[in-house]
Amino acid sequence: RQLSASEMEQSRTDTSVQHKTQHALSQLADEISRGEPDARRWYPQILALAANKEPEFRLMSAWVMGQDNHSAEFHRKLKALLEDPQPMVRRNAALALVRFGDASGETELRFMLRPFTLVAPVAGTVSFKLKKSDEVPRGSVVARIRAEGSETVEVHSPVEGVFERRVVSDESRVASGETIAMLAPSEQQVWESLRALYLVGGAESLEDVQRIARNASGESERIRQQAELTVAAIRRRAGISEK
């Protein structure tokens, strides 16, 4: 439902109820995309949320800032978010920067086409909760690690994807920071990246996009078509002829 002006004010200043603030940000994104001038008065709050300690606020703020590709303040903040510790925040920032015609996030866009490495946050015995080809929603539990003192630590995925493979055996001992699993990118992540690279991708991204185009037999038709279009667009921009 549409939030009233007073509800919008409260949701942006009081972030104690996360879903309410996210609702307000979503409504604000719609207002910005429609070009409503009154939306600009909320820009300081958006910038503040982009620096909030809660990753969900930073992630969503990056998306909202992409709705106004004429704001110099948003542009600067999005470039700063490319250094965020959370991968989904970096990815949203990279996608939003494309709307500014800015290819600063191209490296992150390439990462969206590659498997994601999941590491053990602590040392202990790992127990996997997923099997090959299982879908992995962002934030879901991929494994649990029984650390010293019988403490159990859950390993959550910071990105959405598909469980590709275990790097270590189930019930094996792992060290802190050791790679335990690889997640293939979700179709939506691939789609978003390919569309962005169609607009700003350079020669450095060609290999990753060509890999998607070559292996698109198992992907949806829209992925195959977009991969081919993106390869052609990158070649044109880079002046690379067909081999």
Side-chain angles (χ1 to χ4, degrees):
R1 68 179 180 85
Q2 284 291 107
L3 298 177
S4 66
S6 61
E7 287 175 318
M8 292 281 280
E9 176 74 41
Q10 182 179 7
S11 296
R12 293 195 188 94
T13 55
D14 178 9
T15 58
S16 59
V17 184
Q18 185 177 351
H19 72 89
K20 290 185 177 180
T21 299
Q22 290 174 307
H23 186 174
L25 283 170
S26 179
Q27 183 169 314
L28 183 55
D30 292 339
E31 293 175 4
I32 294 173
S33 66
R34 292 195 299 268
E36 296 184 13
D38 190 53
R40 293 190 63 85
R41 70 189 180 100
W42 301 110
Y43 283 16
Q45 283 91 335
I46 297 172
L47 291 165
L49 287 171
N52 192 281
K53 66 180 181 180
E54 172 54 55
E56 291 297 323
F57 293 153
R58 303 198 303 276
L59 184 157
M60 200 159 186
S61 295
W63 169 64
V64 174
M65 289 188 288
Q67 307 306 309
D68 183 355
N69 59 359
H70 298 291
S71 170
E73 288 182 308
F74 284 177
H75 194 178
R76 285 192 297 271
K77 177 57 74 173
L78 285 167
K79 293 183 76 168
L81 287 177
L82 290 175
E83 304 299 324
D84 195 274
Q86 291 294 321
M88 285 304 297
V89 176
R90 298 195 300 270
R91 293 177 179 190
N92 264 18
L95 291 168
L97 282 166
V98 173
R99 299 182 66 120
F100 289 81
D102 189 335
S104 298
E106 185 176 357
T107 298
E108 201 61 43
L109 295 175
R110 288 198 295 272
F111 287 153
M112 293 171 67
L113 299 176
R114 301 174 185 176
F116 183 83
T117 301
L118 202 63
V119 301
V122 296
T125 302
V126 62
S127 175
F128 289 98
K129 301 303 171 186
L130 299 175
K131 61 183 184 298
K132 183 178 174 59
S133 300
D134 280 349
E135 291 188 3
V136 184
R138 181 168 61 89
S140 61
V141 178
V142 175
R144 292 187 174 91
I145 296 177
R146 295 192 301 278
E148 294 182 6
S150 300
E151 178 190 10
T152 299
V153 177
E154 294 182 334
V155 183
H156 296 263
S157 174
V159 300
E160 63 180 44
V162 177
F163 195 86
E164 187 174 78
R165 63 186 175 91
R166 301 171 181 173
V167 177
V168 297
S169 301
D170 198 28
E171 299 300 327
S172 64
R173 181 80 181 176
V174 295
S176 177
E178 183 177 351
T179 299
I180 61 172
M182 302 298 292
L183 308 180
S186 69
E187 179 176 312
Q188 186 62 28
Q189 288 288 304
V190 172
W191 169 249
E192 296 283 3
S193 174
L194 289 174
R195 291 199 305 165
L197 290 171
Y198 174 85
L199 297 171
V200 301
E204 299 86 353
S205 297
L206 189 57
E207 182 179 348
D208 283 290
V209 179
Q210 285 178 321
R211 175 175 47 80
I212 297 296
R214 286 194 303 268
N215 300 329
S217 58
E219 304 284 353
S220 68
E221 181 65 13
R222 71 167 184 164
I223 295 296
R224 184 190 66 78
Q225 291 180 348
Q226 187 60 60
E228 292 175 354
L229 289 170
T230 302
V231 166
I234 291 175
R235 285 185 177 278
R236 285 195 301 271
R237 265 193 303 276
I240 301 173
S241 59
E242 292 281 352
K243 293 183 180 180

